[in-house]
Amino acid sequence: MKKILYTLAALLFCTAANAADIIVKVEYNGNSAAVTIPAEASGYVSNLNGESSHVKLLQTSTTAKNPGEIVYLLSGESENGEFYLTGEYKATLQLNGLTLTNPDSTAIHIKDGKRIKVNMNPNTVNTLKDGVTDTTSKGCFHCKGHTEFGGKGTLNVSSNYAHAIYSKEYVTVKNCTINVTGAKKDGIHCQEYCLIASGEVNIKNVEDDGIQVELKDSVATGQTLNHEDENSGNFYMTGGTLAINDIGSYCIKTYGSIAFSGGKQNFDTNNIKDYDTTAINGVVNSKSGNRQYYYDLGGRRLPNDAMLPRGIYIVKEGDKTRKIVVK
């Protein structure tokens, strides 16, 4: 009886996060995929690839009303498939026992710059692998927007060409288990900041950094309250477990700072690099011809002719951003 009740509870969780959710179901089966778009989402979500296992969905706002957040429930298995979503709304990916390999490129590609939740259903194992022929690929899992990993399941990711997980904005991890089992570049590569709050992250067999956090090509904000609109290049760990081994470079490399305030660090915490800096004695002229702009770590622009006191500053030159140390 307990087993029946547990199965029923899991099924209810898989089919709806709450009663208001609009759920688009994608079920992979070899070289095909069944995509079910409910009537209330039909004016917003279009299936561009029919029954192909290379699922491409377009989420638009051409109608008068926004339907709210849409949940994409992904399940099944394909050795020759992908999930590609482009749009302009916040969305949730609900992974329910998904095994997806794209032999040519990215397994999951979210071309949406909004907040994207990636939840693994409880007690499910989800596996993503990519190919080696797409030289434009940045990761086996690639997200243009804010990426929030959660749920009580497991996600296994490996990349044969680039990063295992790539996010153009921040990455947060709560509750779930993420196993990066191999990558040609970094295990997790993101911009803005990275936060591990709970759960378990295991990274191994990567040829570059375990985790790397960049700064976007804009002025750094430094740490902000609740990380709202933060662009710091920082890494935070407040809970959970992080294990990193068999890497080619640093366990963690950031363009901001690295802070451990909780959790378990099962790796060499001496093998980290907390910012890229260039040591100088004063303001130097640009050799590239681009004008340089100087900012303090709070994001305040400084006069170009100012004599900078000792400290760390942000320099923006053209489309490049870097940190300097003034001695």
Side-chain angles (χ1 to χ4, degrees), residues 115-325:
R115 190 272 294 139
I116 305 296
K117 290 184 178 180
V118 184
N119 291 332
M120 281 62 74
N121 278 353
N123 302 303
T124 65
V125 176
N126 306 273
T127 302
L128 305 176
K129 297 179 181 180
D130 68 3
V132 296
T133 61
D134 183 0
T135 58
T136 65
S137 174
K138 292 185 177 180
C140 179
F141 175 96
H142 181 157
C143 183
K144 181 181 177 182
H146 314 303
T147 310
E148 300 180 356
F149 291 100
K152 294 293 183 70
T154 298
L155 176 63
N156 302 319
V157 189
S158 65
S159 175
N160 292 301
Y161 182 79
H163 310 300
I165 294 173
Y166 172 84
S167 175
K168 195 175 179 181
E169 297 182 349
Y170 67 69
V171 164
T172 65
V173 178
K174 296 180 180 180
N175 300 322
C176 61
T177 297
I178 296 177
N179 298 316
V180 171
T181 58
K184 195 70 175 176
K185 295 184 179 179
D186 300 332
I188 298 175
H189 186 108
C190 63
Q191 298 184 17
E192 295 190 344
Y193 68 90
C194 180
L195 166 63
I196 298 178
S198 58
E200 183 177 340
V201 178
N202 302 297
I203 299 173
K204 64 180 181 179
N205 298 327
V206 301
E207 296 188 21
D208 204 343
D209 302 311
I211 298 174
Q212 184 179 151
V213 187
E214 286 188 89
L215 281 175
K216 293 175 64 177
D217 291 330
S218 60
V219 179
T221 64
Q223 183 176 355
T224 65
L225 185 64
N226 298 322
H227 307 292
E228 187 69 24
D229 297 323
E230 179 173 332
N231 180 33
S232 64
N234 292 348
F235 172 88
Y236 309 96
M237 186 172 182
T238 61
T241 301
L242 174 60
I244 304 174
N245 53 71
D246 296 330
I247 57 172
S249 189
Y250 294 99
C251 291
I252 302 174
K253 178 182 177 182
T254 75
Y255 286 75
S257 62
I258 297 172
F260 304 117
S261 60
K264 297 180 180 180
Q265 294 80 45
N266 295 333
F267 58 91
D268 182 3
T269 54
N270 291 315
N271 185 26
I272 60 178
K273 187 174 184 181
D274 59 358
Y275 50 79
D276 278 348
T277 60
T278 301
I280 63 174
N281 292 316
V283 175
V284 297
N285 294 323
S286 170
K287 296 181 180 180
S288 68
N290 289 324
R291 186 173 176 80
Q292 294 179 328
Y293 297 94
Y294 295 83
Y295 301 84
D296 63 22
L297 293 182
R300 292 179 292 272
R301 183 175 164 185
L302 305 173
N304 274 45
D305 58 354
M307 291 298 296
L308 300 180
R310 294 171 61 181
I312 302 173
Y313 299 90
I314 303 296
V315 179
K316 183 172 173 56
E317 181 179 355
D319 62 354
K320 303 292 185 181
T321 303
R322 71 183 191 278
K323 281 192 176 183
I324 61 169
V325 174

Side-chain angles (χ1 to χ4, degrees), residues 2-33:
K2 289 184 178 179
K3 184 176 182 180
I4 294 174
L5 291 174
Y6 174 81
T7 303
L8 179 59
L11 179 61
L12 290 173
F13 184 93
C14 293
T15 55
N18 61 62
D21 283 340
I22 298 174
I23 300 173
V24 173
K25 297 180 181 179
V26 180
E27 185 172 2
Y28 292 88
N29 184 10
N31 290 323
S32 66

